[in-house]
Amino acid sequence: MRLAEFSNFTLAEVAADFYKYNTLERLLEKIIMRAVDVNEHLLSELATEKTRVPESYKETFTELAKLGVYAEEFGKQISNSVGTRNVLVHDYDDEETDYRKIYTFVSDCLKEYHQYCEYIIQFLKIK
């Protein structure tokens, strides 16, 4: 995974290099949005009359937990990544971006999204 390559750089190296930082942002955004796409597809396939339609990207993660794809605690945890995606996409506080927060998110993202993929694969094997 290309994102793992960023763990070889220090925070200062990433923050000081326009191309490294912007590549990091784009990779994070793509990972999160691909998961949201998977979530939305699964939710549409598994929907019943009682299924609640998510009102946000964040809710796609928590709704999958309610359908038994993974534990609710994991759904809550990984859904927080949508907040990071929103900061990246919408350039909130662009002048004051907390590079440390974004850089730290890389290790969380690697761990959470590897686990997410394992849950999705396992769920699909069962179905």
Side-chain angles (χ1 to χ4, degrees), residues 53-64:
V53 176
E55 296 179 13
S56 67
Y57 292 151
K58 185 172 183 159
E59 286 183 3
T60 67
F61 289 99
T62 55
E63 289 302 310
L64 278 186

Side-chain angles (χ1 to χ4, degrees), residues 73-97:
E73 186 59 37
F74 180 78
K76 288 177 188 174
Q77 178 184 334
I78 197 167
S79 73
N80 291 325
S81 65
V82 172
T84 301
R85 175 251 176 221
N86 291 343
V87 168
L88 297 173
V89 170
H90 301 293
D91 290 325
Y92 298 139
D93 298 322
D94 190 47
E95 297 296 321
E96 300 175 18
T97 299

